[in-house]
Amino acid sequence: MSSIYQIYNQFLSYFPTGLHPFISLLLGILIIYGIIKVLQRDFIYIILLIILLPASVPILENIWKSLANIITFLLKK
């Protein structure tokens, strides 16, 4: 997770400090848009995964928490 933060901070260093909140907001929106597009395309597979593999629910929850942490980190900048 720290490598993602380092890459993000390096990416932000290319822009002026005043634009960092806008860049973070734009990246957060793009991540949410990408997640929605993946869910729309692969929605049936996600449903099958949850139904057929009950052990995958904690894994998916962990992924969701990680994505939520990344989005909140992006929005804090």
Side-chain angles (χ1 to χ4, degrees), residues 7-16 20 23-24 27 77:
I7 292 170
Y8 174 71
N9 286 328
Q10 181 182 4
F11 174 73
L12 276 184
S13 69
Y14 294 126
F15 300 100
H20 287 189
I23 300 297
S24 297
L27 286 175
K77 291 287 180 170

Side-chain angles (χ1 to χ4, degrees), residues 1 5 61-71:
M1 195 62 138
Y5 293 149
E61 288 175 356
N62 189 16
I63 291 171
W64 174 251
K65 287 178 185 177
S66 297
L67 287 174
N69 287 337
I70 291 171
I71 291 171

Side-chain angles (χ1 to χ4, degrees), residues 1-2 4 11 31 34 44 50 56 58 60 62-64 70 72:
M1 195 62 138
S2 65
I4 293 174
F11 174 73
I31 288 172
I44 189 71
I50 292 173
S56 69
L60 291 173
N62 189 16
I63 291 171
W64 174 251
I70 291 171
T72 55

Side-chain angles (χ1 to χ4, degrees), residues 33-56:
Y33 177 75
I35 291 170
I36 290 172
K37 284 300 193 182
V38 167
L39 287 177
Q40 285 177 346
R41 187 179 63 213
D42 298 330
F43 189 67
I44 189 71
Y45 298 116
I46 293 172
I47 291 174
L48 288 175
L49 181 68
I50 292 173
I51 291 172
L52 297 176
L53 298 173
S56 69

